[in-house]
Each structure stands twice: as C-alpha cells, then as structure tokens.
C-alpha cells in the first residue's frame, strides 16, 4: 500500500471516480474514503510500510492479512535497553503470549493475542455500530546496534485458526530485518569491484 501517494495520482483517482456512472460512483467513493482514512491512520501511527495479503482458503474464498512496519523513538533514547527489558519480562510471561527472540539484527520479543476488531462492511440495518470480528495479532519488536528507534513488525489476520502459520510468516519476515542500508552495501561492493584489476594497479603505481 502506497502510504504517500503523489498528489497527481490522487487527483487522477478522483477524476476517475467522478466519471463513473451514478450506480457505481457511490460504491467507488466509499472505497476511496476508506482508503484515504486508512492511509491517514497508518501515517499517524508512524507506519513506514504496509502490505495487504489475500490468501485462498479451503472453501474457495479468500482470507486477508495485513502486515505493517513501524518505528517509534525509545523513551530515554536507549532503544536497546528498552527492548532488552521487554524481552526479559517476556520470558516471565509466556502465558500472555510473549516470548523473547534472538534475531539476526538483535534481541527482540514476540507478543501475540486474539482480540476483537472492526470488520469490513456496513453496519447492520438500524444500527450505528460498526461490525466486529475476531483477529489474531502478532507483534515483533526489535532494535539494532546504535539505533534510537524501536522497529515494530505487526501481522493481523482474521484467519484465527491458522495463527501458527501466520506466526511463522511473521517470524520469517523478522529474521530478514536488517539495519544495514542495502544501497550503501551495493555502493561499497561496486567500489570494491572497481578497485580491482589493471585499472586499480595503474592507479596504485601512479598514486
């Protein structure tokens, strides 16, 4: 999901909605309002990236999931101490769905729970209350060496019965997390390649 869509793209989307026939315009407007509301909510919660998943189920339909990556400044400025403290307390509370993690990028913890959440769709006729559903929510928090922010990965799905599988997905993503800028790594690799061979030898000989 693009959390910072260019103004031109938003304007073009509005034009497309306004050009739709009357019988379709109302539905499209609700979808656009829902999208802009979600983007505003995610931006307000320091979300850096968001991906939506649709997965086929056994009945021929689809299950949905949402994974987000957020960053929050640590209280006191020492993110490593905050995460270490939470990871330590997680070891004492496995019954609450918390456990410490030792990830390639550093120490962290996993927290998971099943909770009620707003569900897609219009309220039942005669009711102003939004529909609710049950979701599984998994959260991984971690920080890297020298980092001031705590990075939070969160996966939410309505497929509560498949929580074990979604937990594996979340942990798999967490194990790929790195605090190394891939562009800097690529630049260093290119520099090393350019610094070898005949050209490098001539440059070395002549300073």
């Amino acid at each position: 999901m693009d959390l910072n869509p260019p103004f031109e793209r938003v304007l073009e989307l509005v034009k497309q909605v306004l050009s739709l026939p009357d019988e379709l315009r109302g539905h499209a407007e609700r979808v656009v309002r829902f999208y802009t509301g979600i983007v505003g909510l995610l931006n307000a919660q320091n979300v850096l990236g968001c991906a939506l998943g649709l997965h086929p189920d056994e009945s021929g339909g689809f299950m949905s999931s949402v994974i987000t990556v957020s960053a929050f400044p640590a209280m006191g400025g020492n993110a490593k101490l905050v995460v270490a403290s939470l990871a330590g307390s997680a070891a004492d509370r496995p019954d609450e769905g918390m456990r410490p993690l030792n990830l390639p990028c550093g120490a962290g913890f996993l927290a998971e729970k099943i909770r009620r959440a707003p569900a897609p769709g219009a309220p039942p006729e005669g009711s102003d209350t939004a529909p609710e559903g049950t979701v599984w929510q998994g959260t991984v928090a971690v920080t890297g060496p020298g980092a001031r922010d705590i990075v939070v990965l969160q996966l939410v799905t309505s497929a509560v019965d498949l929580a074990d599988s979604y937990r594996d997905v979340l942990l798999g993503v967490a194990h790929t997390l790195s605090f190394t800028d891939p562009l800097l790594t690529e630049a260093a690799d290119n520099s090393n390649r350019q610094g070898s061979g005949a050209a490098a030898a001539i440059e070395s000989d002549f300073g």
Side-chain angles (χ1 to χ4, degrees):
M1 177 181 288
D2 191 349
L3 299 181
N4 294 287
F7 176 76
E8 294 77 10
R9 186 184 303 171
V10 176
L11 186 60
E12 181 61 28
L13 179 61
V14 171
K15 290 180 178 178
Q16 291 177 2
V17 170
L18 293 177
S19 67
L20 292 172
D22 292 342
E23 61 271 18
L24 297 177
R25 189 183 307 153
H27 295 292
E29 287 177 351
R30 285 194 291 273
V31 171
V32 171
R33 283 197 297 268
F34 176 76
Y35 170 72
T36 55
I38 290 295
V39 168
L41 179 63
L42 294 176
N43 282 324
Q45 296 181 354
N46 299 323
V47 173
L48 305 176
C50 175
L52 308 177
L54 286 176
H55 322 281
D57 60 19
E58 296 178 352
S59 62
F62 289 91
M63 299 173 295
S64 62
S65 65
V66 180
I67 188 167
T68 57
V69 182
S70 310
F72 301 92
M75 295 180 61
N78 195 323
K80 190 173 182 179
L81 287 180
V82 173
V83 171
S85 175
L86 291 172
S89 65
D92 300 328
R93 293 187 290 173
D95 56 323
E96 296 183 18
M98 295 185 66
R99 59 186 169 102
L101 295 175
N102 187 17
L103 299 170
C105 62
F109 69 88
L110 167 70
E112 55 182 302
K113 61 182 177 181
I114 295 175
R115 64 180 183 84
R116 301 288 292 174
E125 187 175 352
S127 173
D128 294 331
T129 304
E132 288 190 343
T134 302
V135 298
W136 175 85
Q137 175 182 296
T139 305
V140 169
V142 69
T143 191
R148 296 184 177 182
D149 291 339
I150 298 173
V151 174
V152 176
L153 306 176
Q154 190 170 85
L155 177 60
V156 179
T157 178
S158 57
V160 177
D161 294 341
L162 297 176
D164 291 343
S165 298
Y166 282 97
R167 184 188 308 110
D168 290 342
V169 171
L170 177 62
L171 292 175
V173 174
H175 277 79
T176 67
L177 181 63
S178 171
F179 288 87
T180 302
D181 188 339
L183 296 179
L184 295 179
T185 303
E186 182 180 352
D189 292 342
N190 291 336
S191 178
N192 290 336
R193 283 193 293 268
Q194 292 171 0
S196 61
I202 292 174
E203 182 178 354
S204 177
D205 289 343
F206 293 92

